[in-house]
Each structure stands twice: as C-alpha cells, then as structure tokens.
Amino acid sequence: MTAVLIANRGEIAVRVVAACRRLGLTPVVAVSDADRDSLAAQLADRAICVGPAPAPSSYLRAELMVEAALATGATLLHPGYGFLSEQPALAEACEDNGIAFVGPRPDSLRAVGDKASARAVAEKAGVPVAPGAVVLDETSAVRAAREIGFPLLVKAVHGGGGRGITLVRDESELVKVLPVAAAEAQAGFGNGALYLERFYAAARHVEVQVFGDGEGGVAVLGERDCSVQRRHQKLIEECPAPGLSLATRDLLRTSAARLVEQLRYRGAGTVEFVLDTESTADPQTIVFLEMNARIQVEHPVTEEAYGVDLVAAQLRLALGEPHGLPDDPPEPAVHVLECRLNAEDPYAGFRPAPGRITRVTFPRGPGIRIESHVYEGYLLPPYYDSLLGKVIVRARNRVEAIDAMLAAVRATEINGVTTTAPLHEFVLAHPDFRASAVETRWLDTVWPPASASGTVSKGHAA
Amino acid sequence: MTAVLIANRGEIAVRVVAACRRLGLTPVVAVSDADRDSLAAQLADRAICVGPAPAPSSYLRAELMVEAALATGATLLHPGYGFLSEQPALAEACEDNGIAFVGPRPDSLRAVGDKASARAVAEKAGVPVAPGAVVLDETSAVRAAREIGFPLLVKAVHGGGGRGITLVRDESELVKVLPVAAAEAQAGFGNGALYLERFYAAARHVEVQVFGDGEGGVAVLGERDCSVQRRHQKLIEECPAPGLSLATRDLLRTSAARLVEQLRYRGAGTVEFVLDTESTADPQTIVFLEMNARIQVEHPVTEEAYGVDLVAAQLRLALGEPHGLPDDPPEPAVHVLECRLNAEDPYAGFRPAPGRITRVTFPRGPGIRIESHVYEGYLLPPYYDSLLGKVIVRARNRVEAIDAMLAAVRATEINGVTTTAPLHEFVLAHPDFRASAVETRWLDTVWPPASASGTVSKGHAA
Amino acid sequence: MAAANPTSSPEQDLPTWAEIAELVAKLDAGTFADVDLQMPGFRLRMSTTPDAFTEQAPAARPRASAEPPVPTAAPAPAAAPVPTDAPEPTATATPRPHSATLSSDLVEITAPILGTFYSKPSPDVEPFVEVGSTVAADTTVAIVEVMKLMNPVSANTSGRVVEVVASDGDLVEFGQVLFRVAPDVAPDEVTR
Amino acid sequence: MAAANPTSSPEQDLPTWAEIAELVAKLDAGTFADVDLQMPGFRLRMSTTPDAFTEQAPAARPRASAEPPVPTAAPAPAAAPVPTDAPEPTATATPRPHSATLSSDLVEITAPILGTFYSKPSPDVEPFVEVGSTVAADTTVAIVEVMKLMNPVSANTSGRVVEVVASDGDLVEFGQVLFRVAPDVAPDEVTR
C-alpha cells in the first residue's frame, strides 16, 4: 500500500484522508502536540507527532514533514493549504528525498510566490493585469502613483491572505503611508518591498479553478465567485460565478489557461481575478490578482458543481497516473454555495473564540455536504485558524441553493463556541445577495447590522 | 410553526426530519418504546411514544399515529415507507381529522394497492402489462396458464415486497403449487387470492420516479435500475438505468406518466417495470410490475442525479404549495449508485444480525451521501428491518461511480453487527456488474462465492 | 488569496504572546500567589499553589461512550422479546429500577398505549380507583382513549393504590406512569 | 491587514494591554495583599495569599478556557505560554502526573522534536549519558536527527539517570519519553 503523509491539520487533513480512502492509499497524518486527538488523526491509519503546538515549531517546519514522511514510509506528501503548501523549500526537500510532492514543481511555486514575479508571469502569458508598479522609494512611488491614478493600493510584495494592503486616496496620504507600510511589510513578511496597484472601487472577486498535467495540458473547471469577504477573508463562495457573460467567462478561462500553460503547471491551482463591475464592455474588465498554487478552502463548490474529486485528482497525478479530470467539462446545471463557519464572534470584530465543542449537529439531506474536523468534545485549539467547518449546498439554481443553504445553516448546531453562523444567515437572507453577486466591499457596508451591534453593546455593559 | 408528525422510524424518519429542517417545519417523530433513543428522536423537536416495540402495537396502528399528530398539534403526517405508508385507512383517518397526509389520496392507494386492481388501472391507462390472470381454482388456473405459457409466476394478489411469489415450470408443478400458495397467501396477507403471470427469465427491474401534483400534472424524474436483488429484495440501485435506448426510456416514461395522469396521482410514486432483456426490438419489451404509492428507499439516487429534494417536494405539496420539481428535467450528466447496508450475514443466508453498534465511520468526500440512523452506542432493535444505512455515490459516469462506491463501502466501518458490506464489495468488483446492468436473477447465480462460503462455513462451525 | 492563515491573526485586540510573556515574567518576578486576569476572549490565571484552579477534568476521549443516552421515561427493557402478533394493549406493571430510591417497594402502572387518560368511565361517576383503593391484576384502573376508542387499563398487579399520577384529560405516552401501587407482599418475599 | 480599529469595537472602554501591564507593575510594587478589579468586560484579581480565589467563579463569558487539550503523551502544561516565535527545540523535563503511580518521583526527558534518536555523538564513542549518570539542566543527553540536522537534547532537569528509554536509531515522535531521571531533591521538598 502506498502511504501519503498529510502535512496539515483541520478540515483539509480530513479531506485528504477521504481522498486517500477513495484511491485505496494509506493516509498518515503529521500532527502537532495539540492535534494528537484530531479527527484526521482518528481517521488516518496513523498519526505521527512532529512537534509542539505552535505552528512555527511543527506545521511550518518542512524538515519535520519530510522526516515524518520518510519515517512512516510515505512516498507522497500532501501539503493541504496554508502552512507549507506553497513553500518551494518543502517541494524541493520532497524531491531531494524521493517523495512525490502533491503540488506544483518548486519553480512554479517560486514563479507565482510573490506578487511581483506572479505579475510578471501573468503579463508574459498575456493575462490582463492591473496598472501597477513595484516602488523602491518615495520618489519612484509618487511617480508611479501619478501614472496609475488614485485611489490605489499599497501592497507588501511578499504579503498574502489579504494582509499588508493599504488603500490610499491621494498623494499626501501615500507619502504618509509608505514608511509605515514598508516597516509593516518588513515586520510581517520579512521583506519591506512595496507594490502600488490600481484600486477598483466596485470589484468582484472571481477565480478560475485550473488543473495542470505538468506538461502544458490544462483542465479548466469553471469560475467561483468569492466576493462575500470581510477584510479580504472569504466567507461565502459560489460556483458558477453568477451573472457573467459568455465573453467574460471565456476571457477568464482562457487567461487562466494561458497562465497554466506558460508555467507547465502541475496539479490543482486557482487563478484569482478582480472583476471591475463598473466596466460596461463585454467582456468586462478583469485583472489578474494572484495565483494560488495549491488546493483551496473553497474547492468543494467546484467539486459539487462539476461532479469531480479535485484532491483525488491531485493524488492521482502525484502517483504518475492521469488525473482523470475532464479538460473542458459541460457547464454545470446546478448552483453550489459554500459557507465557512468560523469560531469567531461576528458581533465583536470577529474575535476568535476557541473552546471546547459541547455539541455538534450538522444538516443532512440531498445536496448538502459538510467538510469539518470538529466533533463533540473536541477542543478547538487556540494556536491555529478558527475554521470550524464548511457547509456546501448544491441545488438546481442560485435561489434554490441560497434557500437550501439558509436552512442548512439554521439546522447547524455547534455549541461551546461562538460561531459566524449569524453572519451567514444575515447574508443569505439579504436582498442584495439574493438578487445577484455582490462586490467585495459590500459586506463591510452592511455588517454588523445597526440593531444587532446595539444589542450587543448593551449585553457587554450589563 | 407548522409541525409534521413522522409516522415512521429508522433512516427514513431521519430523512424526513432533514426535509422538515430544509423547509423550516417542526419535526415530531412518533416512536415505539424501542425507538425512544433513535437518531430521529434526537434530531426531531419532539418524540412521542405511541406504543410498545412490536410494530403491530405501534408503527402499524393508524389510530395511534393520528392521535399522536393531534396530541402534538401536527398538521401534516409523513408516513415514510413501509408500515402504514400505503394504507388507505391512515390516509383517510388523517383526512377525517384535518391532518394533511403526505402521500396520495386514499382512492389512489386503493387503486394501486393490490396487483389485480393495479393491473386493471395500468391496462386502462395504456401501460404495457404482462400476460396474466387472476385465478379462482385449479381449472381456471390451468386454462389461464396454457394461454400465458410456462414458466410462469404464481403470486399472492395481496402480496408485496417480493413475498408470496412462486416460480412454476410446467402444468404438473402448477397443480401442486396452487393449494400451497393459496394457503400461504391466506396466512401471510389475509387473502388467498392468486394471480398467474408470465415469467421473464432474463429480466431487469427498471422503475420510473414520478411526482404528481394531484390534478393530473406529472413530473417524471428518470429511471432507476434495481436489478441487483436477492430474492426480490433490492440491494443496489442506480440512476440512470444503464444501457437503455432513447425509445425504451421514452416508453417507460410515457407509460409511467399515463398512469399518474389516469389516477390524478398526488405526490411521490414509483412505477415499476420488468424489462425483458431478451427482446431485441427497440423499444424493448417492458411490462408493468406495480406502483409504489410512497417515497421509496432508493429515492436518493434520483435526488442526486437530478439535484432535487423529493421529500421536501412531498411536504411542499402537502402544505398546499407548488412542489417545485421540474416537469421535464434535462438528462443528468452524472451517474449515481446506492448500496443498502443491512445488518445481516451475507455468508449465512442473510440471517439478520441485530446488536449494539460499537463503532461507526462513514466515508466522506465529494459525491458521497449517507442516509443512516445508526450511531456509536446504538442498539439496533430486533423488531424491525435490518437496514443500517444507505451509501449513495455520485460521479461523472458509471465506471467512476462504481469505483467511488467500492472505495466508499470499503471506508465504511460499522462494528458490533455483521453487515452485508462484503456482498456489495463483491458485486461492485464483479466484471458482470461493471460491464453493464445485470438481470434480477444474476446475484443468486454468483453469491455466495464458492470459496467464501466454504471459508465462512468453517468459521461458523468453529 | 490565502484563506486559512495558520498563525494568529493580527486583527484581534488581544495581547500578543510576547506581551503575555512579558506580563507573566513581571508577575512571576512579583510576590503574588494567585493571579486571575479575564478579558473577553482571554483569561490568564496563575498560581503558586498547585490545584488552585482545579476544574472539571475534560473528557479523556471525545468519542461517545457505548451507553445510549438515558431515556427520560423509558420502562425497563423486557428480557424476553414480545410476540409481534399481539396488537392488544396490555398494561405493564413493572418495578422501575430508576425510582428505587424514592419508593423502593412501589409498583408502577403505566399507559399501555398513547392516548388520553381518564380516571372514570364517564364524567359523573366515581373514579375506577383512588388513593387507598385495593386492586387486583384484572381490576380496571383507568381508560386511555385513542381516536374515540376507549381502552381499559388493567392494574396487572395487586395491592393498594398510593398515588394517582396522571390527571383526567392528560395526553399520556406509552409507558408513562399512571398510578403507583404498594404491592401485596408475596409469600416468598415475607422471609426477606 | 491592519489591526482592528479599536473604536469600532464594543469594548472600546477596555484598558490597553500596556495599561494593564503598567497597572500590574504598580500593584506589584505596592503593599496590597489582594486586588480584585472588575470592569465591564474586564477583571483582574491578584493576591499574595494562596487560595485567595478558590471559590472558582465561572468565567464572565461562556468562552472556552485557554488550556490546551491534554495530549496522550504531552508535557504538563507550563504556567507561562510558549512564545510562538521560538522554533528552536528545547527539551522538556517535567514531572508527569499520569505516571505518578509508577514512578512518582521520576522526571521524564522527552523528545523536543520528531526525528531519529542517538545516544552518542558518533558511533565509536561513549553515550552522552547512561543509567547512573548525573545530569544538570544544560547537560546534553542525546541527539535527535532531523533531515541530517543534529539537534542536541538538553536534560532541562538535574538528577540521576535511572532509565534510558529510547534506543539508537529509533524514530522518536515529539513528546516521546527518552530518559527517566531521579531528580535532585529541592530544599523545600526535604521537609515534606
């Protein structure tokens, strides 16, 4: 039996275990000291403890993961998402030790690993990019800004996950922000390099799921809309992305495919775009945002829409087999939504609320899929992210899917921690969201609702 | 809030709870004394104990179910399948007490409730029926048999679920069988009436999922193949039914629709057909078998194929709303399988094996749906059927679905009881099944496999 | 855009680890025996005394125990399987282990069926039995009405009624306690 | 992403962390025996007396405790949180409550990291320690190799080695017991 070392935790580790089961592979999960009792550890054939709870001492140490793979005889290593998943060092260490890294080649990871090089690759592949420039000092920044126009975004070149981004409205603001942003980038990402980029005030986040065979071949599995965001953190995703013209879809897909071909990209990836909703042309204006060289949190919406198993396809490819995905699948006749339930208090600035889960009831029924690692009695550790699980719902059209999701969220019971369920119920019931896709800044304009925050303030004073 | 009394148990009670949650209805489950701790009782808003464990004192007493609905303020009653689901008496008692029965009108139940009247209705609606006749005595039986031809089936007119059926090869066998069959029919079904019917030696069981609006309108949701049977008990079902020509499908669907229109049928129903695989015409020969006037065990394969919620549609219709199903949906681009896992020993004549479930692990992942009422610590009571749960798998085509189902069954762990999982693994891996649809008598020719039964006999003797 | 950020998010108002460590170092250098600091989403408790903050130990393993949940009002399970062809309701009168501490010698008469409880055959007459009444096994003690059908309830035990638990018009579920009876002492129990 | 703007938070009246730290320092420098400071959303209790807060008031909010789960073979939780920016492994040497019945006075030295255990710096030389060896906190007792990188393991306790649990070449997981040590008796424990 071929063993797979799962170098991750939480729901994605559980998901990889499931994909291993589908293919008859032996899942081995690398755990930190805090995750010895995790669901993934229970479901896998074996768990191996690599280090203490803090991620920098365990889940972020490539050498421990490779050691764990070697020690358990695993010949594949699946990095999940986050943590080491996009670190060329891990992919390289795997290569050096005869372990198949379930992800892109190290050179691909490097090529898309920071904004500047990713942008360069995109431009080379003929993918539309936003007006923007890397800036070295105030002089070059001001000159570049005048060309790009205000408002614009100041980004850390090595930032990610929505962090290290500042909106600047005019030149005086830019001059003030530059040194602060550079210092923060240095502190947060170990590199003070900054990048200026045109800011689209009315934008949607639309991304394309791609899967490369490593030899230039590419399967394109439609678009996801992930515009329901709070401070660049996705909360609700859907597939297909609603309301796009055929020409816009085609532009998105061919752009994404070109990037994959250019990189001779291997495995699952996502090409993210900003869609300018103020553009009235057909196709609408899209600009390349970044490429995520890994499986994503929201991959199940694509799986449910297209009837595929992306993680199994990753493993198949790493095994040297055909990935088995259709290159150009028919358009799905269904609509799929995903809600991320986090252990956070949506009425109190989304403050993380780790704790012990005292009761869990997930919804059941047709079209409902749950991806989660929590169970009754589980102590959500304070060391990692606050994702409790994902509710994925598939129905015949968007309205039915929204209704089904609303019912599913209401039927979800996770006691012992505060969850973001009220936010999801609010969005799913909101006329703006129900009418069509919203813009990425929409959520911040409607949440928290005035009445709710008032109530909560009183509650805290009491 | 509108409350729904669920007059059933097991996985279908859990399924109806889920549909209630989807629609925001309040589920109340009627339980026998043995089911006070059932999963449905835990998931519902309320459980009400109607009687002792034996079904004749609880789940088969219509007056207790109506009393329970009245006592709990439920204005809908869902009968599930089996038990009272097709009893006109319950539907009538609901009508008399102002409770909406989630099922067909009493007259529809009567019309299709026994083979003779069902056949009459089918003939009237222009649905193909097998040559056959009700027989009153030996003389009429022999006369009818000569017309129908041997081999033929002797059936109890009031039988059901595959019971009360005898295969007869020639006239002398018929004469011997008649009095025995009549006595058995009298004992088993309270009525000794018999029916002779042409026997198709090489037959498939193909059924059409229909949904009537009660006013003559009908939604037809494709076919299911349920030919993997053991003594007329379905074990594996799939949708779409493989290998049917367009003309055959069309004949099946229009026949089923005509029956629904004829009855002005209300709600979910299944029209079952025998498909003669020896017929080389196009369309192939099909004959009406029976109509099941209720939701069926295998309804999830249709739900997964078409992206619908049949149980929610039942409830909507009973609430006086449109059922919301598409009348003529596009052909599904997926293939769906269902395996019924029973607590039976497949190596020992499928002897029921009730007991306490010590551990349950169900498979996870894209395209996998589980319908089950068992949980760790659950004592499977000896009073009822042995269904532990259903594994439903959806994939892009039949081969992928079979592979995914094989992995799913292997990843299913239900400890504490003996299950039929080995049988499912055997069938899913069998070249005959993988190549195409099998015939209804196929399973009995290959199971138990010679080697396995030898091994197990030893095991049992030890 | 990275969704799951494994390291702690900077967007909370909570102290960083470094700040906590600094605080802890300060406290540790001080003279305090106990410290209990609570803020929303954060709590710090320190003590120089072992077991100062003993709390309920968390369950060792998250998995459910094999025992089913204790039903709220279940009768003791019968040892022998009940024949399935006996649809006639019969009252059950069983010693109830879980009430043993309260009334160790009492026998409960429970509802043989779901329905409406009536203590008397018609509104104007005396109840079948009252507290103090003596009953035999075949004494009718009540009626449970199901859909206009009156089901007499037999005592199925002999003794003296000490409590009437159900009230007229109550919905009673199967197995629900209707009466408590002090049983006649059986000859073989005298010697106890 | 920038830190949450405190003015948008309903807890805007809470003291900042720096203010709390300053307060603690002030109190610590003072002569107070007990401090119990409560504000909406905030509570600080300090005492120089052991067991001052034994009444175990529930947390003001039903939030989870900050305690990590009890792992099957983890070191006992330290009072001070572990800083997340310290990836360097350090051996943990802690009294292990769950093994108290077996060897109540022994301290375990556990693997600070996953890797291959070596008792000696190279094959031809003596082991770092053997049964009977005396160790101090900074004594190197073994090496754990991770991907050709040799990580020395310090005893982090002082005493006498009574058992060498791991063998050369063993894969050891984080937290796995390598040695058992009979600790030096601390002066304040003599009087027990």
Side-chain angles (χ1 to χ4, degrees), chain B residues 146-165:
Chain B
R146 284 177 188 161
E147 211 162 288
I148 295 164
F150 289 93
L152 55 74
L153 296 175
V154 179
K155 295 184 173 185
V157 169
H158 295 275
R163 296 179 304 143
I165 300 178

Side-chain angles (χ1 to χ4, degrees), chain B residues 127-370:
Chain B
V127 176
V129 295
V134 175
V135 295
L136 304 167
D137 50 30
E138 192 181 303
T139 314
S140 69
V142 169
R143 197 186 315 125
R146 284 177 188 161
E147 211 162 288
I148 295 164
F150 289 93
L152 55 74
L153 296 175
V154 179
K155 295 184 173 185
V157 169
H158 295 275
R163 296 179 304 143
I165 300 178
T166 314
L167 175 64
V168 167
R169 277 160 228 281
D170 55 38
E171 210 167 297
S172 67
E173 218 174 77
L174 175 67
V175 172
K176 263 183 282 178
V177 158
L178 281 172
V180 181
E184 281 180 2
Q186 181 68 42
F189 312 109
N191 189 314
L194 296 179
Y195 183 80
L196 305 193
E197 197 177 79
R198 173 139 162 203
F199 174 67
Y200 296 94
R204 284 169 60 187
H205 175 114
V206 179
E207 58 188 33
V208 180
Q209 176 68 54
V210 293
F211 202 101
D213 64 7
E215 296 169 8
V218 54
V220 177
L221 292 142
E223 303 82 33
R224 295 186 288 256
D225 188 295
C226 314
S227 300
V228 178
Q229 299 185 353
R230 181 193 160 264
R231 302 193 184 174
H232 305 281
Q233 300 288 340
K234 298 165 186 168
L235 294 169
I236 300 180
E237 300 98 353
E238 54 186 307
C239 177
L244 299 189
S245 70
L246 273 178
T248 304
R249 280 193 206 183
D250 191 54
L251 178 59
L252 286 161
R253 292 180 188 185
T254 51
S255 297
R258 275 201 296 265
L259 191 57
V260 171
E261 284 156 13
Q262 167 83 19
L263 292 166
R264 298 177 68 78
Y265 186 86
R266 183 179 76 191
T270 302
V271 186
E272 297 190 330
F273 295 91
V274 166
L275 187 145
D276 180 7
T277 64
E278 289 177 345
S279 77
T280 52
D282 188 23
Q284 286 180 285
T285 300
I286 61 162
V287 297
F288 173 75
L289 189 58
E290 63 180 336
M291 176 162 193
N292 291 318
R294 51 168 165 82
I295 196 77
Q296 271 187 304
V297 176
E298 60 268 30
H299 75 276
V301 296
T302 298
E303 290 185 330
E304 292 302 308
Y306 286 91
V308 295
D309 188 328
L310 291 169
V311 181
Q314 288 186 299
L315 293 171
R316 280 202 192 94
L317 192 65
L319 287 166
E321 300 171 6
H323 55 66
L325 297 173
D327 281 355
D328 189 20
E331 293 304 305
V334 293
H335 197 89
V336 185
L337 289 175
E338 173 181 276
C339 285
R340 301 188 191 188
L341 290 177
N342 293 327
E344 297 169 359
D345 187 342
Y347 297 111
F350 292 82
R351 187 177 48 203
R356 192 176 294 281
I357 311 289
T358 53
R359 184 176 165 82
V360 179
T361 310
F362 284 120
R364 296 162 166 254
I368 296 177
R369 175 174 161 197
I370 302 296

